[in-house]
């Protein structure tokens, strides 16, 4: 058998077809249609080392049309990653490394979790942004230590999703010239031929974004694909879209070019026809040794990495501090004196009270922490003056100034959040981004993906309640806090003053295995007094802020701006001879993970009279108050009026809290 490009591509096709058929589930059409493009890219251009999938200067590859996951799994297997044939045979099965859509952390070489269409291209934009910014911060003359491309495959579905507009527009503005996207222009989606619902002039659209566009490339012609990639790589000032005309299900005599091969196995008879059409005489999952040898990238990858390592050694000899800093940041490590400096800052805040909005406290924390952490890469979705995400060390990132540390994302909440995930996945930065808590809803799926992938993305949400007042219920969050808190692997912090705000930032920065949502107020909050032990206990997510003598008769739980109401009520009731404890719960998820003994110490089961106060959805708090307790919370949307009037209207007043507390004590 002649090992021409088509034969090597057919190995990808047949592995994908056989795995989908054995699983009796999956999407064979995209892998069959894009195999020729993948062969050219992966065998002749992609810089990677299968023996070291975390090599920091590898090219990144993102399969944005993640339903075609067997394309990626086949490529990883053939090129020599630790993904044996047995795993391909277990495609879509329990505990396999080959789930239905690519998932970060399962198979080596999978750079991100894709499946929700459009987010893969968004992650790729984040990776390309991280590469360009990191390169600008660390490269020196004759030392291009950070120097790699980000490649992504995407389909019509990715382009139909609105997030693709958000991120591709920004990619053009930022001049991400080492981002190369391949559009699988096959004209098919699940419902059939897309010309009934997708007639955009995509090349013109991307040219308007400021991209280089190479259109009308035959996605089954290796020579045309090669020429397009070379032209794309020659232009490092613009991202490139390569428009590849392909036939979905290429090689299937009866189902190619149809939605019949998009999201379902071909069927045993059609698989046999594919083998005959492609002149592939081998049994299912059988790959001849010479084809394996032609695909194997381990030797070339080891040579590429060794060459880079030699270059890096010369760089380290000339710039030892920069080299050490690059390695520290790329490995996700914090500075050795981070914890000490952060704690000193928190102690100083406690010793010097200030009654300010927690969004202002957040900015103060950023001002302090950014001086210690050059890896903070932040921004806001067009709300920096309100979110207060811009700190005193901020330098705007632009096409001309890529070495900055602050991004103006524009009104792109979803795009911002998914780009942040791509930055986190790339490494070298701790990304954060801000918007109003209400507009987390625009970005909900990207926030979920951060939690699913266990990435250190820090979502900054201000204007946390009806307390934003006159803007009305369209801007007043009600159910958003509960939504964040019930998201697995998310930690949501709603601090009550500048000290808890600084601790929330510290904990988010130190958290290595998942994202954090930091929820800040518009209105000023009273700083609470604390003992050293109470100060230490904030990081537990919940602690006794104000106690009484002996066993309490009533426990009042609160977060954020409502902690002040709880303290006021406790002061009044304790002066009347009652025994009332106040528990601040800035992060319920963190508190829930504490040892049972600690939780019992803070919230003893014997004290069944409990009152929770939060200007958020009330139902969430019944998990802490039980049937015998009560909740002052929201059970409807807000209204448009000054904050003081709204708080009183919805029961967030000293009078109502005292009335509820006395009823429970009675």
């Amino acid at each position: 058998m002649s090992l021409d490009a088509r034969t090597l591509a057919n190995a990808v096709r047949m592995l994908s077809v056989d795995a989908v058929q054995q699983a009796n589930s999956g999407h064979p059409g995209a892998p069959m249609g894009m195999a020729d493009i993948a062969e050219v890219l992966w065998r002749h251009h992609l810089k990677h080392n299968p023996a070291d999938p975390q090599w920091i200067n590898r090219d990144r590859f993102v399969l944005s049309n993640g339903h075609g996951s067997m394309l990626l799994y086949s490529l990883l297997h053939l090129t020599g990653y630790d993904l044996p044939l047995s795993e391909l045979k277990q495609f879509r099965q329990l505990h396999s490394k080959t789930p239905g859509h690519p998932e970060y952390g399962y198979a080596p070489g999978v750079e991100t979790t894709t499946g929700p269409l459009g987010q893969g291209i968004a992650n790729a934009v984040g990776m390309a942004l991280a590469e360009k910014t990191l390169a600008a911060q660390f490269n020196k003359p004759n030392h291009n230590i950070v120097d790699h491309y980000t490649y992504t495959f995407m389909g019509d579905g990715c382009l139909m999703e609105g997030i693709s507009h958000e991120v591709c527009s920004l990619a053009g503005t930022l001049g991400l010239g080492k981002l190369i996207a391949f559009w699988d222009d096959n004209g098919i989606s699940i419902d059939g031929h897309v010309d009934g619902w997708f007639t955009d002039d995509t090349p013109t659209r991307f040219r308007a974004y400021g991209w280089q566009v190479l259109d009308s490339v035959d996605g089954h012609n290796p020579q045309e694909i090669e020429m397009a990639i070379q032209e794309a790589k020659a232009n490092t000032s613009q991202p490139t879209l390569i428009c590849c005309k392909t036939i979905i299900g290429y090689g299937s005599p009866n189902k190619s070019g149809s939605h019949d091969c998009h999201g379902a196995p071909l069927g045993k008879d059609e698989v046999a026809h594919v083998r005959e059409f492609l002149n592939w005489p081998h049994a299912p999952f059988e790959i001849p040794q010479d084809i394996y040898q032609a695909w194997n990238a381990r030797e070339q990858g080891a040579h590429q990495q060794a060459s880079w390592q030699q270059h890096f050694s010369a760089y380290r000899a000339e710039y030892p501090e920069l080299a050490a800093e690059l390695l520290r940041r790329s490995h996700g490590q914090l500075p050795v004196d981070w914890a000490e400096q952060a704690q000193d800052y928190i102690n100083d805040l406690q010793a010097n009270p200030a009654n300010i909005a927690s969004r202002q406290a957040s900015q103060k924390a950023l001002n302090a922490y950014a001086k210690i952490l050059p890896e903070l890469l932040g921004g806001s979705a067009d709300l920096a003056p309100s979110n207060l995400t811009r700190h005193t060390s901020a330098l705007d990132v632009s096409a001309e100034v890529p070495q900055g540390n602050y991004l103006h994302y524009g009104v792109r909440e979803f795009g911002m959040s998914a780009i942040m995930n791509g930055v986190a996945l790339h490494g070298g930065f701790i990304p954060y981004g801000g918007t109003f808590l209400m507009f987390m809803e625009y970005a909900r799926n990207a926030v979920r993906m951060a939690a699913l992938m266990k990435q250190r993305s820090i979502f900054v949400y201000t204007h946390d309640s009806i307390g934003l007042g006159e803007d009305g219920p369209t801007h007043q969050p009600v159910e958003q806090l509960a939504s964040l808190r019930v998201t697995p692997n998310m930690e949501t912090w709603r601090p009550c003053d500048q000290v808890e705000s600084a601790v929330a930032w510290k904990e988010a920065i130190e958290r290595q295995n998942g994202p954090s949502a930091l929820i800040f107020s518009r209105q000023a909050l009273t700083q609470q007094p604390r003992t050293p032990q109470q100060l230490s206990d904030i990081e537990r997510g919940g602690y006794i802020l104000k106690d009484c003598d002996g066993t309490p008769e009533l426990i009042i739980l609160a977060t954020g701006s409502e902690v002040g109401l709880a303290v006021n009520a406790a002061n009044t009731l304790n002066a009347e001879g009652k025994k009332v404890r106040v528990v601040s719960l800035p992060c319920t998820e963190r508190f829930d993970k504490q040892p049972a003994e600690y939780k019992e110490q803070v919230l003893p089961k014997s004290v069944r009279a409990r009152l929770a106060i939060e200007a958020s959805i009330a139902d969430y708090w019944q998990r802490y108050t039980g049937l015998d307790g009560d909740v002052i919370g929201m059970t409807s949307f807000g209204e448009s009026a000054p904050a003081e009037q709204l708080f009183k209207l919805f029961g967030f007043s000293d009078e109502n809290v005292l009335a509820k507390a006395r009823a429970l004590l009675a």
Side-chain angles (χ1 to χ4, degrees), residues 51-296:
D52 185 4
Q54 297 303 312
W55 173 32
I56 64 176
N57 200 46
R58 69 192 182 279
D59 289 339
R60 271 55 168 185
F61 175 80
V62 174
L63 185 69
S64 188
N65 45 345
H67 53 271
S69 56
M70 268 311 306
L71 172 67
L72 179 53
Y73 299 147
S74 299
L75 291 166
L76 294 172
H77 169 72
L78 289 169
T79 54
Y81 284 81
D82 184 16
L83 192 66
L85 202 59
S86 59
E87 291 292 346
L88 272 61
K89 293 179 180 179
Q90 290 297 308
F91 177 55
R92 289 192 165 215
Q93 305 308 303
L94 185 64
H95 301 315
S96 77
K97 293 182 179 180
T98 52
H101 292 79
E103 291 192 39
Y104 179 78
Y106 281 63
V110 174
E111 299 283 3
T112 180
T113 299
T114 54
L117 294 178
Q119 288 197 63
I121 175 62
N123 295 162
V125 170
M127 293 173 186
L129 168 66
E131 189 276 340
K132 183 173 183 177
T133 303
L134 205 63
Q137 292 179 358
F138 284 94
N139 288 353
K140 292 294 180 182
N142 302 317
H143 290 292
N144 289 331
I145 296 303
V146 180
D147 181 19
H148 66 77
Y149 285 87
T150 300
Y151 300 100
T152 181
F153 286 1
M154 60 182 179
D156 292 324
C158 294
L159 293 173
M160 282 187 264
E161 290 285 359
I163 190 175
S164 69
H165 163 72
E166 295 184 26
V167 301
C168 293
S169 168
L170 189 59
T173 298
L174 294 175
L176 302 182
K178 295 172 85 172
L179 171 64
I180 300 175
F182 297 80
W183 171 30
D184 182 27
D185 181 14
N186 60 36
I188 296 291
S189 67
I190 290 177
D191 279 357
H193 291 274
V194 301
D195 53 12
W197 50 86
F198 183 51
T199 58
D200 300 13
D201 184 345
T202 297
T204 298
R205 167 187 166 188
F206 273 76
R207 288 189 180 101
Y209 293 152
W211 287 52
Q212 172 181 234
V213 177
L214 308 177
D215 53 7
S216 301
V217 174
D218 183 347
H220 301 298
N221 185 318
Q223 290 74 34
E224 287 194 26
I225 298 165
E226 172 68 25
M227 290 175 59
I229 295 174
Q230 289 186 11
E231 188 173 351
K233 292 172 74 172
N235 183 349
T236 56
S237 62
Q238 293 175 289
T240 297
L241 176 69
I242 302 178
C243 306
C244 298
K245 293 296 296 185
T246 64
I247 300 172
I248 190 171
Y250 181 92
S252 173
N254 300 304
K255 295 188 177 182
S256 64
S258 163
H259 70 282
D260 290 340
C261 65
H262 183 285
L266 298 179
K268 291 183 179 180
D269 291 343
E270 188 64 14
V271 170
H273 292 318
V274 171
R275 278 187 154 74
E276 182 179 356
F277 182 88
L278 296 179
N279 190 25
W280 187 264
H282 313 292
F285 298 105
E286 180 183 321
I287 303 294
Q289 198 58 39
D290 56 348
I291 291 181
Y292 269 127
Q293 290 173 355
W295 268 106
N296 195 297

Side-chain angles (χ1 to χ4, degrees), residues 630-654:
D630 200 356
V631 180
I632 300 176
M634 296 296 294
T635 57
S636 68
F637 296 118
E639 296 283 352
S640 182
E644 300 77 14
Q645 296 178 25
L646 292 177
F647 280 129
K648 184 175 181 180
L649 174 68
F650 289 105
F652 300 100
S653 64
D654 289 332

Side-chain angles (χ1 to χ4, degrees), residues 385-459:
S386 295
N387 297 149
L388 303 183
T389 46
R390 189 176 172 82
H391 52 80
T392 52
S393 303
L395 174 65
D396 291 344
V397 174
S398 66
E400 298 74 28
V401 187
Q403 70 269 25
N405 58 10
Y406 191 83
L407 287 146
H408 293 279
Y409 283 102
V411 187
R412 301 181 177 100
E413 297 90 353
F414 194 3
M416 173 184 73
S417 302
I419 287 172
M420 287 165 54
N421 292 342
V423 170
L425 287 158
H426 179 278
F429 295 100
I430 300 175
Y432 71 89
T435 186
F436 289 173
L437 176 56
M438 185 64 247
F439 302 136
M440 176 276 292
E441 295 292 354
Y442 283 127
R444 185 73 183 88
N445 203 266
V447 175
R448 182 179 188 269
M449 296 303 288
L452 185 66
M453 293 189 286
K454 302 180 175 65
Q455 291 305 297
R456 181 167 49 180
S457 295
I458 302 176
F459 302 103

Side-chain angles (χ1 to χ4, degrees), residues 492-509:
T492 307
W493 292 81
R494 187 174 184 242
C496 75
D497 62 11
Q498 67 166 352
V499 177
E500 285 191 358
S501 298
V503 173
W505 264 108
K506 175 178 178 289
E507 295 304 309
I509 288 167

